[in-house]
Amino acid sequence: MSNISGLHISGTTRNGKGNRRTLINPATGLAVAEVSEASIDDAHESVAAARGAFPMWSGKTAGERSRILLRLADLIELHGEELTHMEVSDSGKPFATFLEGEIPFAVDNLRFFAGAARSLDGTGAGILSAGYTSMLIRRPIGVIASIAPWNFPLIMAIWKMGPALAAGNTVVLKPAPTTPQTSLRMAELAMEAGMPAGVFNVITGGSEIGQALVTSKDVNMISLTGSAATGEHIMKEAAKGTKRVHLELGGKAPAIVFADADINAMAQALIMGSTYNTGQDCTAATRVYVERSRYADAVDALVATGAKVKWGDPMARDSDIGPLISTDHRDRVHGFVTRAVAAGAKIKLGGQVPDGPGAYYPPTVLVDMDQKSEIVQGEVFGPVLAVLPFDGESSAIEHANDSAFGLASSVWTTDVSRALRVSHQLEVGVTWINDHLPIASEAPHGGVKGSGFGKDMSQESLTEYSVTRHIMIKHAETIANDSFRPA
Ligand code: NAD
């Protein structure tokens, strides 16, 4: 079993002095490597390194920072296969999907952040008070503690370090304990790209190491993508030092399907939307509300399409989806399904734990649930779709909004006015019309309500990681004419 050095601090990769964690390949259940994780002292050292590098990095021009990030994007592209092997081993994602989908997307994200860095400054100048000239400029915040989840390890790392570094901050990134490999490798590639030591640090470990970052006096902002419970905890901790927080938390995306929708196109997109990444996606389609007159057709189409999804070995070219992240997580997902059935739901597809090794779980479609039931309200984070009928537009909107979360949604209709009218009333960060899931580097991603606040991607993400400063210059004649001159 190989050893993975679990720290990248001040430009050097080395072993941490904390736990030794065994990484398990979720597709096989076999141990593949051991990580020497950070100790609390290592966490403090990483923050000190980021603090030390801040004056230098924030003093660089946006163009200089941008060039380094662009070189890093090129290196990620060049090392795509190597990174894919790491991510597949840690997370069980299908090899082809990651190499051909997530790597190019991550590279595009980083290139966007690099470009956006160069249009962050110069938000305004003017005479706002007689005799003065004011300038509004954006400046970085300082040291950012970035805490990432396991579902999209490389993309989440880039969504966090990309805009933060582009805006002139320095970063300590803590990936999820089970999926550290691509983040650690990216830190090495950043050095190769010319990133100065200390600017981008990666430390590995679990919640106690995250906690050490969150409570460090030298951290100015905490950026978390993770569960709602962790988000609430971090917000409380951050209050103690009045630290900024950026929280991308869970989701429970509804899809509203009107009778005039193209049912086959809907089934294709919502099965893709509920099973991509084996449903471990905060924007995944999870609750489908179908206008009653087309409900039976919609259920049939979803079941027929879901049955065609090929789940299995991530290395097989024809696998659409791989396993869940772990057998523990599979137990959690199956627990939701079992309790739903006990409460009266019927399984139309899947819903059984397959025999054999690996944390596999098949696409699952459930019907006959109550709006208030756990399966309709809770975040399952697996390939499980709950399909419910509705009568009338206002009832569909009410049910869609009846959730603690507010991240993503979709509306299915050929009536443009209705699509817009309904979209405007949904309490979410994104609404797709006649699709579910696509995202773009230029478009902000983030939620409302229990899904957190703060935007990833787009120019708005750089705004998140910077503050507006007001510089006010008193004109010489204003000084000369000052009437208040105490002796
Ligand atoms: P999690 O909250 O358990 O862990 C997320 C990260 O927080 C991990 O790195 C973990 O080690 C760290 N952490 C946990 N407790 C901590 C503490 N007390 N202090 C500091 N750090 C701590 O979540 P997860 O299970 O890894 O990820 C899945 C969750 O992430 C889901 O709820 C999912 O919806 C959410 N998610 C949200 C988005 C989004 O954009 N909104 C994207 C991806 C995932």
Side-chain angles (χ1 to χ4, degrees), residues 289-468:
Y289 297 99
V290 188
E291 199 159 11
R292 197 174 295 274
S293 63
R294 302 299 303 280
Y295 181 68
D297 294 347
V299 170
D300 288 349
L302 287 164
V303 168
T305 310
K308 290 187 203 141
V309 173
K310 256 199 122 227
W311 55 269
D313 180 5
M315 299 307 288
R317 177 88 217 175
D318 62 347
S319 290
D320 295 314
I321 63 173
L324 292 164
I325 189 71
S326 64
T327 48
D328 281 354
H329 184 55
R330 180 175 64 182
D331 290 347
R332 188 178 165 276
V333 169
H334 190 54
F336 271 98
V337 173
T338 311
R339 291 190 295 278
V341 170
K346 290 195 183 54
I347 296 175
K348 296 294 261 183
L349 181 71
Q352 301 295 328
V353 174
D355 292 334
Y360 293 99
Y361 201 77
T364 295
V365 176
L366 299 173
V367 295
D368 292 350
M369 292 131 310
D370 187 79
Q371 169 67 20
K372 295 292 178 196
S373 62
E374 183 198 44
I375 195 78
V376 176
Q377 295 290 331
E379 190 185 36
V380 178
F381 230 49
V384 179
L385 207 48
V387 193
L388 301 96
F390 74 83
D391 301 292
E393 188 178 303
S394 56
S395 143
I397 294 167
E398 194 184 310
H399 284 150
N401 286 339
D402 175 25
S403 169
F405 297 105
L407 185 60
S409 60
S410 58
V411 177
W412 297 81
T413 176
T414 47
D415 178 340
V416 175
S417 301
R418 174 158 57 192
L420 294 177
R421 188 170 64 237
V422 173
S423 303
H424 294 161
Q425 294 176 75
L426 294 176
E427 298 161 355
V428 289
V430 60
T431 300
W432 293 285
I433 295 169
N434 296 327
D435 206 347
H436 196 108
L437 227 51
I439 45 178
S441 298
E442 294 80 358
H445 168 90
V448 297
K449 301 200 297 192
S451 293
F453 47 82
K455 297 294 183 189
D456 285 323
M457 299 199 295
S458 81
Q459 190 75 35
E460 283 194 39
S461 65
L462 274 77
T463 310
E464 287 283 314
Y465 290 103
S466 57
V467 286
T468 301

Side-chain angles (χ1 to χ4, degrees), residues 26 86-93 150-151 153 179 280 323-325:
M86 291 174 168
E87 197 93 317
V88 171
S89 166
D90 280 359
S91 72
K93 286 170 190 283
W150 45 259
N151 58 341
T179 55
Q280 301 163 120
L324 292 164
I325 189 71

Side-chain angles (χ1 to χ4, degrees), residues 147-151 156 174-177 205-207 210-211 214 224-227 230 233-234 248-251 282 379 381 407 445:
I147 303 179
W150 45 259
N151 58 341
M156 290 300 116
K174 191 197 82 60
S207 55
Q211 177 80 7
V214 170
L224 166 82
T225 298
S227 62
T230 307
H233 173 78
I234 283 182
E248 296 283 357
L249 308 176
C282 49
E379 190 185 36
F381 230 49
L407 185 60
H445 168 90

Side-chain angles (χ1 to χ4, degrees), residues 107-131:
V107 168
D108 186 67
N109 294 158
L110 194 49
R111 288 186 178 138
F112 173 84
F113 297 135
R118 305 190 73 166
S119 56
L120 186 64
D121 276 339
T123 47
I127 298 170
L128 309 179
S129 187

Side-chain angles (χ1 to χ4, degrees), residues 185-223:
R185 184 68 182 118
M186 190 164 67
E188 291 175 345
L189 294 177
M191 294 303 291
E192 215 177 307
M195 188 83 74
V199 171
F200 175 45
N201 308 278
V202 177
I203 63 170
T204 54
S207 55
E208 68 295 345
I209 298 303
Q211 177 80 7
L213 294 179
V214 170
T215 52
S216 165
K217 285 193 171 49
D218 262 332
V219 164
N220 302 101
M221 173 174 168
I222 303 138
S223 167

